[in-house]
């Protein structure tokens, strides 16, 4: 999350890590609720793309993430 631009970083940290509701995130950041929803959605997409460029995500039959592996051609050092 810290690698994301600041305008996506803060809303994601507050909602996903701290568990705050979107309405509270909007109040904390002095943003409108639609702005918060948009930033969180876009931030998630950026984060997901970043993860996929580095790692292969393994899922079970229900779609639940069960693990990951570093892509063989990836230069990412974040997977361990």
């Amino acid at each position: 999350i810290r690698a994301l631009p600041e305008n996506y970083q803060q809303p994601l940290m507050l909602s996903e890590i701290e568990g705050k509701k979107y309405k509270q995130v909007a109040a904390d950041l002095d943003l409108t609720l639609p702005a918060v929803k948009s930033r969180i959605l876009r931030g998630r997409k950026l984060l997901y793309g970043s993860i996929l460029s580095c790692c292969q995500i393994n899922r079970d039959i229900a779609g639940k993430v069960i693990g990951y592996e570093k892509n063989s051609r990836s230069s990412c050092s974040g997977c361990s």
Side-chain angles (χ1 to χ4, degrees), residues 32-63:
T32 64
L33 188 56
V36 166
K37 289 180 180 181
S38 176
R39 289 179 188 200
I40 290 172
L41 179 63
R42 289 178 185 158
R44 283 179 182 160
K45 285 182 180 181
L46 287 171
L47 186 59
Y48 186 69
S50 174
I51 291 169
L52 287 182
S53 70
C54 179
C55 302
Q56 173 66 41
I57 305 297
N58 303 318
R59 298 176 184 267
D60 65 14
I61 196 160

Side-chain angles (χ1 to χ4, degrees), residues 6-71:
E6 183 72 20
N7 61 326
Y8 300 122
Q9 208 179 107
Q10 288 183 317
L12 273 176
M13 289 293 288
L14 292 172
S15 69
E16 305 301 323
I17 306 302
E18 295 184 23
K20 292 185 178 185
K21 304 280 186 191
Y22 288 2
K23 193 173 183 177
Q24 184 60 50
V25 174
D28 288 355
L29 299 177
D30 196 29
L31 296 169
T32 64
L33 188 56
V36 166
K37 289 180 180 181
S38 176
R39 289 179 188 200
I40 290 172
L41 179 63
R42 289 178 185 158
R44 283 179 182 160
K45 285 182 180 181
L46 287 171
L47 186 59
Y48 186 69
S50 174
I51 291 169
L52 287 182
S53 70
C54 179
C55 302
Q56 173 66 41
I57 305 297
N58 303 318
R59 298 176 184 267
D60 65 14
I61 196 160
K64 182 179 175 185
V65 175
I66 57 172
Y68 68 93
E69 298 172 25
K70 183 176 178 182
N71 288 334

